[in-house]
Amino acid sequence: MLGSYRAELLKLRKRSAVWVLFVAGLVLSLIFGYLLPYLGYATGDDNPSTDGVPRAEILRGMLPERVLDNTIGGYPIFAGALALVLGAIVIGGEYTWGTLKTILTQRPGRGTVLASQFLALATMIVVWVVGIFVACALCSIGIAAAEGGAMNWPGPLDLLRGLGGGWLVLMMWCLAGAVLAVAFRNVALPIGLGVVWILGIETLLAGVVSSLLPDLKPLANVLPGTNAGSLVFSVTGMGTADAPPGVRDAVGGGRALLTLVAYCAVFAVLAAWTTRRRDVT
């Protein structure tokens, strides 16, 4: 098991697509968390997008006290879609390249190989979360120093809870991509279906339920995207007006946490059962 885990980590570390996805998530976090707000802050009344918003409040959103908001605020949708793509290409690539058969002939069983891949993905998601947090923290420090803002940081427990919640959100979407890759035994279709679900179907369904079909709210509240956004909302403590797309107070933080853990377990079990019961070719 340990040897397979090390091998999967080596493959992830050497695979350029993994780092391209990470950089894409990092750039999106910095653009929407710092670049665009800072441009709005600098232009002030000349920027229609910040009309009516006090400049002090715009600046406060970029200071260290709000670093968690900017780090994990995009995880339910944008970074979540990238994590789903990561899971799909790592697991589905073994099928499209025909390398899974070669791996299984080298001694590890199917369950061992899949568990090693999941552990390696979980480790890479940790790297993603920590890397994005460090970049956001550096931007917050730079803006605070340049504009004379306060250097008030969230407490250690708040940081741990926020980053842990962000990791769970990305891991859930990563496992969703992985189970789709196992089901379809390729890369393209799982990515297409998963990204359409995250960026289109769930967002559209949330809007329809809130405006036209409120009776379907219990169904919408069990969807993965809804619970991902609710968990991020809970661990950051951001206001409803400040919440980015996909982050909302739909369900409580405890329920969202348990629901995401349940989704992770279901996705992992489905992937393991399908891998063990079906031909890998």
Side-chain angles (χ1 to χ4, degrees), residues 23-24 26 38 54 75 80 83 112 115 177 185 187 195 205 219 227 241 245 247:
V23 171
L26 176 62
Y38 190 78
Y75 283 11
T112 300
R185 290 184 285 193
V187 174
V195 171
L205 183 60
L219 175 61
N227 286 274
V247 178

Side-chain angles (χ1 to χ4, degrees), residues 68 153-165 234-236:
L68 277 178
W153 293 88
L157 291 180
D158 293 331
L159 286 175
L160 184 62
R161 183 177 63 173
L163 296 180
S234 174
V235 298
T236 57

Side-chain angles (χ1 to χ4, degrees), residues 80-95 100 113-122 125 170-187 189-191 194 198 263-264 266-275 278:
L82 296 174
L84 185 144
V85 173
L86 174 68
I89 64 173
V90 169
I91 305 299
E94 305 289 359
Y95 290 95
L100 184 58
V113 170
L114 191 63
S116 301
Q117 290 173 329
F118 286 168
L119 286 175
L121 285 171
I125 293 297
L170 293 188
M171 193 63 201
M172 184 273 297
W173 285 124
C174 185
L175 289 174
V179 72
L180 288 173
V182 171
F184 295 108
R185 290 184 285 193
N186 61 56
V187 174
L189 186 57
I191 291 177
I198 295 176
Y263 270 115
C264 288
V266 169
F267 291 153
V269 170
L270 282 176
W273 182 83
T274 306
T275 301
R278 194 181 59 182

Side-chain angles (χ1 to χ4, degrees), residues 79-164:
L82 296 174
L84 185 144
V85 173
L86 174 68
I89 64 173
V90 169
I91 305 299
E94 305 289 359
Y95 290 95
T96 57
W97 294 340
T99 52
L100 184 58
K101 294 180 291 182
T102 304
I103 295 173
L104 295 177
T105 60
Q106 303 301 312
R107 189 180 298 173
R110 298 187 183 193
T112 300
V113 170
L114 191 63
S116 301
Q117 290 173 329
F118 286 168
L119 286 175
L121 285 171
T123 304
M124 185 55 64
I125 293 297
V126 171
V127 175
W128 280 25
V129 172
V130 173
I132 293 174
F133 169 74
V134 170
C136 290
L138 292 175
C139 286
S140 295
I141 293 172
I143 292 175
E147 302 296 336
M151 290 283 187
N152 298 323
W153 293 88
L157 291 180
D158 293 331
L159 286 175
L160 184 62
R161 183 177 63 173
L163 296 180

Side-chain angles (χ1 to χ4, degrees), residues 49-62:
S49 64
T50 59
D51 186 27
V53 181
R55 294 181 75 243
E57 186 62 26
I58 300 175
L59 177 61
R60 182 171 175 264
M62 298 180 285

Side-chain angles (χ1 to χ4, degrees), residues 161-222:
R161 183 177 63 173
L163 296 180
W167 176 88
L168 181 60
V169 169
L170 293 188
M171 193 63 201
M172 184 273 297
W173 285 124
C174 185
L175 289 174
V179 72
L180 288 173
V182 171
F184 295 108
R185 290 184 285 193
N186 61 56
V187 174
L189 186 57
I191 291 177
L193 291 177
V195 171
V196 167
W197 176 268
I198 295 176
L199 300 181
I201 296 177
E202 281 223 28
T203 303
L204 178 63
L205 183 60
V208 170
V209 168
S210 62
S211 59
L212 300 177
L213 298 173
D215 292 338
L216 294 180
K217 186 176 181 180
L219 175 61
N221 287 346
V222 300

